[in-house]
Amino acid sequence: DADVTQTPRNRITKTGKRIMLECSQTKGHDRMYWYRQDPGLGLRLIYYSFDVKDINKGEISDGYSVSRQAQAKFSLSLESAIPNQTALYFCATSDPRGTGGTDTQYFGPGTRLTVL
Amino acid sequence: GESVGLHLPTLSVQEGDNSIINCAYSNSASDYFIWYKQESGKGPQFIIDIRSNMDKRQGQRVTVLLNKTVKHLSLQIAATQPGDSAVYFCAENTSMDSNYQLIWGAGTKLIIKP
């Protein structure tokens, strides 16, 4: 089984709809992240969470919200989807405690979201 | 190494040749560097990492070189194969930063010519 899973893998929705993307991990990591990737571009951080009680905005948090329901679960919501939120969304996890202070991130397979 | 707003540079390499992918980083305090590989339709996958107390680290068919003087990182892939076709991202991290966040580079698309 994959260590980091994302659901759904693909989603097509309409402008104004509320959408939730879910991420689950079995790695036991405290840190979880949501990234957005547009075609031909790199990764941009939306939100991140260092533990269940911690939520932080990334560089492009406007129009998004998150919920850290448990150590293993981190959800991303688009309250009112708009077409320029059409992108590939990745969840990632990390845990620097066991790696000498480094922050290697492990990624899920991604969710392809299309907003019409 | 800002990724926002930049389109991916592309490197075309003949199958069997060595590939060298370069990355410039901006934070002189960064002390940990990672290379990721992202194949089409998949999430980024960890390839190799290096700490700032090293200049070179080798893995299986891959070597990472770090030049702290000019803040430059490179990934060398020996005997490039079709399966190496992907986008390669470098990322940097500063252990002095209590948040341990990664800073991502723009990525380079590697194309293998038959």
Side-chain angles (χ1 to χ4, degrees):
Chain A
D1 287 340
D3 293 323
V4 184
T5 57
Q6 292 182 232
T7 56
R9 294 295 314 279
N10 289 282
R11 181 73 185 269
I12 300 173
T13 191
K14 295 182 179 179
T15 297
K17 294 291 187 180
R18 184 178 188 275
I19 297 297
M20 179 180 285
L21 309 183
E22 305 206 25
C23 177
S24 294
Q25 52 116 346
T26 58
K27 299 183 78 67
H29 288 173
D30 284 334
R31 297 183 174 190
M32 298 187 74
Y33 309 79
W34 274 105
Y35 287 93
R36 168 179 174 157
Q37 186 176 38
D38 292 281
L41 298 182
L43 296 161
R44 292 189 287 170
L45 184 63
I46 307 173
Y47 270 97
Y48 61 100
S49 169
F50 283 173
D51 65 41
V52 175
K53 301 175 184 177
D54 178 75
I55 299 290
N56 304 281
K57 293 183 177 181
E59 61 181 301
I60 55 163
S61 59
D62 287 349
Y64 301 94
S65 62
V66 291
S67 174
R68 185 78 185 269
Q69 302 95 320
Q71 186 202 40
K73 296 185 182 297
F74 192 35
S75 301
L76 176 71
S77 294
L78 287 68
E79 297 301 325
S80 180
I82 56 177
N84 77 1
Q85 291 179 311
T86 294
L88 196 54
Y89 290 86
F90 288 104
C91 173
T93 75
S94 72
D95 186 355
R97 292 173 301 170
T99 54
T102 60
D103 195 25
T104 301
Q105 294 183 15
Y106 298 89
F107 286 79
T111 294
R112 187 171 297 281
L113 177 66
T114 303
V115 183
L116 302 177
Chain B
E2 286 293 331
S3 63
V4 175
L6 295 176
H7 287 267
L8 295 173
T10 299
L11 174 67
S12 292
V13 175
Q14 201 74 38
E15 183 178 349
D17 288 351
N18 296 336
S19 302
I20 301 176
I21 301 170
N22 296 304
C23 180
Y25 64 95
S26 55
N27 188 354
S28 57
S30 292
D31 55 7
Y32 178 64
F33 305 87
I34 314 171
W35 280 100
Y36 283 88
K37 173 185 181 182
Q38 185 178 21
E39 296 176 89
S40 181
K42 297 183 179 179
Q45 182 181 17
F46 173 87
I47 303 174
I48 191 169
D49 58 1
I50 188 169
R51 291 183 178 273
S52 60
N53 61 353
M54 302 172 68
D55 297 323
K56 178 180 180 179
R57 190 173 186 205
Q58 289 184 292
Q60 187 176 16
R61 269 199 321 116
V62 295
T63 301
V64 55
L65 299 177
L66 175 63
N67 185 330
K68 296 180 287 294
T69 302
V70 295
K71 293 188 285 189
H72 184 267
L73 190 68
S74 69
L75 177 70
Q76 300 181 1
I77 305 174
T80 310
Q81 303 169 358
D84 295 326
S85 292
V87 176
Y88 290 83
F89 292 96
C90 65
E92 60 186 286
N93 178 223
T94 306
S95 60
M96 293 298 291
D97 178 354
S98 61
N99 285 330
Y100 293 113
Q101 289 190 60
L102 284 180
I103 301 171
W104 290 84
T108 297
K109 185 174 184 178
L110 180 64
I111 296 172
I112 312 303
K113 297 181 287 186

